[in-house]
Amino acid sequence: MGTALIYDEEMTKYKLLWVDPVCKIEVPERLTVSYEALIKNGLADRCVSVPVREATDADILLVHSEEYLEAVKTTPYLTLEDLKEFTLQYGDVYFHPNIYHCAKLAAGAALQLVDCVMTGKVRNGMALVRPPGHHSMRSAANGFCVFNNVAIAAQYAKQKHGVKRVLIVDWDVHHGQGVQYCFEDDPSVLYFSWHRYEHQKFWPQLRESDYDSVGKDKGAGFNINVPWNKVGMKNSDYLSVFCHVLLPVAYEFCPDLVLVCAGFDSAIGDPEGEMCASPDIFAHLTHLLMNLAGGKMCAVLEGGYNLTSLPQSVCQTVQTLLGDPAPRPANLGGPCESALESLHCVRSAHRQYWSCLKHAADLPASDISTKRIKLAEKEIDNTADGEEEKIVEEKVWPEPQKRVTPPVRTAVVLPDGVACPDGCKRLSSSEVSDPGTVNRLRDNFPKAADDSDALATLSSLIALVEKVTVNEMCNGLAVVRDVSMAMSCIVQHAATAPNSRVLVVCVGVIADPYPCTDNGKTLLVQFNNKEPEEQKSKYNITVHLKKGCSYVSGFTQAVLSLLLPLGYEYDPSLVLLVRMPDSGVCDSVWQQLTGLLQGLAQGHTLVLMQEAEKACVGLTASSLLGDAAPSLGQLHAPLPEDVEALERLRHRLQADWKLLRTTAPETGRGDEH
Ligand code: Q9C
Ligand code: ZN
């Protein structure tokens, strides 16, 4: 199942015809440089090219008023003077004789994308469009936007394809107020937006862009705003909002379709956003959403004004949609204090609506919204918003490293009699028996010393790890008789290799004593339902969950808000995912876990499971090959005792692992910067 790419040169054929410092950044080159970068990196060729179409009046009227549509229809015939005049009715936007045509193509492109994803012609896709859409409202153009492409696409998906729940993720650096207004009271569309806000000083300076606009009436809880109150937000800030707000809520919501308002003005170098996230963060944001809705995801371009950063970010997004492993995320310290304040406020504003946030902390005693109120009293000043031209210092950042996909994606080590799943490469033990390795294994694993089968398996495992390490293959799956021994073997081997860091994720109880290391070469996270013992160390973490009907939601919550942030901060070179015979996870949860973990370690994942569980070889292989996991269904509330245990654990660990934090420290909240 492929990835659609929609682009048409026609959408480069309008531009600003007069002097306007606010609008001069929205140029046709935004599209041409993005498309050319996709070609240059060999990505356009790998996509299914889908033609644009014009959105019809009926499509546009799904979101806009008849009066507004009729008004826009006159613009191709206006003189320059009349176009300027027409433009003046709206904020931060310009018109051109050809923009109505392009706006119909931009909306139509989003609809074409929805059609080919919903009919299964492709798995996912991206539309490169101009004009953007998320600021335009029912009866108004705004912020370079004429028609609200993504809002129209969401309504269309519901109407034409019977989609019940749509998730809209708006990672553009501006608030898509047009999308918010459109779905404010609609519980079938969950709208998430993060945006530069600076306590309402940043455009569009709306009170309703703050975290406490949660939706109205039946739609209460289905509008999530994360205001950024400082510029310079980094990869950690973005990832922590995904792990602690968006993903838990999105999994609970269980969308049938994910639409992304894919603006890249939230990346480093952008003159509008002034943020510091690197272009490769979009590989991770994309990856983290790709297992929702059975993989049905449509990204539609919004903003992005730095002509170096924009194409890099577009390539990262498309390459991830194509299924290539994400690069290792760089410099993940922890979220900054201002981001933690925002996180804290959003989580507490939404805790009454989402069971995954029920335990979120109370609002800080001195609510950050007081700052906004103070500002409002002083009257919001526009100086931050640059009427005159503001000189922003040029940022430099390294070009994202080329993402090379190994010739073999998934290798398997399987006992005789277990068939090799389609698309995988079977490693036979004959091609890997290096006598040195075998002798070392014989010394280290007396249990296996007289068992030539066991020794052969262990040495194939070592060979597999080595091939993955040198990126000769991406990931692997091994079915073994003794999982604990295999795990120890790999951990011991990894501990000897320089620069290797292994994240060991173990589902179920570890039978044998585990070769503990506190030196950071391995981080063990195990999930089981044994009585909790005291926590061993920063690098040996046990998550206890009770079995029962809430297990799926408890487990999911633990994966999203504990395992993922730990994994991202640890930044392993290899993920070892171990399925113990008593793991107790159902297939879809297992596939979600396998899928999500591939965002780490450049996708270098090794899965171990026991012979008795060979029934799930096929679905594990499918996840390792990059197929989207099936969705989990709408989640129940997790067991309160599980949530509390999880919270206690997160609390205790957050001194060592900064990405686990969800609140700002009580003192020194950095008001005075
Ligand atoms: N410096 C999109 O990114 N001007 N639109 C703001 C503040 C409007 C952005 C002025 C920016 C509109 C799709
Ligand atoms: Zn934007």
Side-chain angles (χ1 to χ4, degrees), residues 415 451-454 457 479-486 581 609-612:
D451 181 341
S452 64
D453 263 12
T457 305
V479 174
V480 299
R481 202 175 315 145
D482 186 338
V483 201
S484 296
M485 182 162 72
M609 52 196 196
Q610 219 234 352
E611 278 180 358

Side-chain angles (χ1 to χ4, degrees), residues 149-277:
N149 309 320
V150 168
I152 294 170
Q155 292 291 34
Y156 177 87
K158 289 199 296 176
Q159 199 189 75
K160 164 119 188 259
H161 296 284
V163 165
K164 288 280 168 298
R165 288 179 301 278
V166 184
L167 169 65
I168 301 179
V169 177
D170 188 338
W171 70 44
D172 185 282
V173 86
H174 300 97
H175 181 215
Q177 84 278 36
V179 185
Q180 171 168 317
Y181 299 152
C182 188
F183 299 111
E184 230 156 9
D185 57 4
D186 184 348
S188 69
V189 178
L190 171 56
Y191 177 60
F192 167 94
S193 172
W194 61 35
H195 35 269
R196 181 171 172 187
Y197 189 59
E198 297 175 291
H199 302 289
Q200 210 180 322
K201 274 204 248 167
F202 189 71
W203 187 90
Q205 304 182 327
L206 301 170
R207 171 68 186 87
E208 61 269 30
S209 303
D210 213 347
Y211 64 86
D212 54 354
S213 289
V214 297
K216 295 178 174 157
D217 306 322
K218 283 199 170 110
F222 296 89
N223 189 84
I224 304 182
N225 285 333
V226 181
W228 298 125
N229 288 316
K230 294 233 158 88
V231 296
M233 293 298 164
K234 299 187 170 73
N235 292 356
S236 303
D237 303 304
Y238 288 7
L239 281 176
S240 80
V241 167
F242 261 53
C243 292
H244 296 300
V245 178
L246 176 60
L247 294 174
V249 171
Y251 272 86
E252 188 171 336
F253 178 64
C254 188
D256 305 308
L257 174 66
V258 178
L259 302 179
V260 182
C261 287
F264 300 100
D265 41 16
S266 43
I268 191 163
D270 193 277
E272 272 290 308
E274 296 181 51
M275 297 302 177
C276 291

Side-chain angles (χ1 to χ4, degrees), residues 207-529:
R207 171 68 186 87
E208 61 269 30
S209 303
D210 213 347
Y211 64 86
D212 54 354
S213 289
V214 297
K216 295 178 174 157
D217 306 322
K218 283 199 170 110
F222 296 89
N223 189 84
I224 304 182
N225 285 333
V226 181
W228 298 125
N229 288 316
K230 294 233 158 88
V231 296
M233 293 298 164
K234 299 187 170 73
N235 292 356
S236 303
D237 303 304
Y238 288 7
L239 281 176
S240 80
V241 167
F242 261 53
C243 292
H244 296 300
V245 178
L246 176 60
L247 294 174
V249 171
Y251 272 86
E252 188 171 336
F253 178 64
C254 188
D256 305 308
L257 174 66
V258 178
L259 302 179
V260 182
C261 287
F264 300 100
D265 41 16
S266 43
I268 191 163
D270 193 277
E272 272 290 308
E274 296 181 51
M275 297 302 177
C276 291
S278 57
D280 51 24
I281 198 63
F282 295 102
H284 293 278
L285 304 185
T286 304
H287 178 85
L288 290 168
L289 298 173
M290 274 172 70
N291 287 295
L292 289 159
K296 293 193 289 297
M297 175 170 171
C298 304
V300 181
L301 183 67
E302 298 280 358
Y305 307 99
N306 178 308
L307 297 179
T308 307
S309 159
L310 169 66
Q312 292 173 351
S313 302
V314 168
C315 287
Q316 293 292 326
T317 303
V318 171
Q319 191 163 5
T320 308
L321 289 173
L322 282 164
D324 286 4
R328 271 169 82 167
N331 23 337
L332 295 178
C336 70
E337 222 158 273
S338 175
L340 284 171
E341 274 188 359
S342 302
L343 199 60
H344 187 167
C345 291
V346 182
R347 283 166 53 89
S348 94
H350 277 276
R351 67 181 177 185
Q352 56 180 306
Y353 305 109
W354 299 98
S355 65
C356 60
L357 299 178
K358 220 175 222 147
H359 56 277
D362 284 324
L363 273 186
S366 61
D367 183 334
I368 67 161
S369 63
T370 54
K371 283 185 207 162
R372 189 217 333 112
I373 291 158
K374 271 189 237 143
L375 283 166
E377 281 166 358
K378 281 194 284 180
E379 266 185 301
I380 290 142
D381 75 81
N382 276 330
T383 49
D385 212 22
E387 296 295 319
E388 341 76 70
E389 286 188 49
K390 177 176 56 165
I391 321 265
V392 179
E393 220 184 291
E394 294 277 325
K395 286 251 185 238
V396 285
W397 64 94
E399 197 179 330
Q401 63 198 104
K402 262 226 166 332
R403 291 162 63 176
V404 278
T405 308
V408 173
R409 168 107 180 189
T410 304
V412 293
V413 172
L414 300 170
D416 297 337
V418 177
C420 178
D422 283 348
C424 299
K425 184 192 153 90
R426 186 174 208 138
L427 276 191
S428 70
S429 43
S430 59
E431 66 182 282
V432 293
S433 43
D434 151 39
T437 307
V438 178
N439 285 334
R440 209 157 14 84
L441 289 167
R442 195 172 280 124
D443 293 343
N444 290 342
F445 295 92
K447 251 165 84 180
D450 313 313
D451 181 341
S452 64
D453 263 12
L455 277 180
T457 305
L458 293 184
S459 71
S460 333
L461 281 178
I462 303 286
L464 189 52
V465 171
E466 275 164 356
K467 285 179 197 291
V468 165
T469 305
V470 298
N471 210 29
E472 196 181 312
M473 36 192 59
C474 183
N475 56 40
L477 163 61
V479 174
V480 299
R481 202 175 315 145
D482 186 338
V483 201
S484 296
M485 182 162 72
M487 177 169 92
S488 297
C489 169
I490 291 171
V491 167
Q492 275 184 19
H493 175 80
T496 63
N499 302 322
S500 106
R501 305 151 65 74
V502 186
L503 171 64
V504 185
V505 178
C506 184
V507 188
V509 180
I510 302 177
D512 293 355
Y514 164 80
C516 266
T517 53
D518 275 354
N519 57 7
K521 299 282 281 182
T522 61
L523 164 61
L524 171 67
V525 182
Q526 53 175 317
F527 296 86
N528 64 46
N529 61 352

Side-chain angles (χ1 to χ4, degrees), residues 507-509 527 547 551 578-585 590 613:
V507 188
V509 180
F527 296 86
K547 291 279 151 66
Y551 188 74
V578 184
R579 180 180 167 111
M580 289 297 172
D582 64 342
S583 72
V585 289
W590 175 249
E613 299 206 278

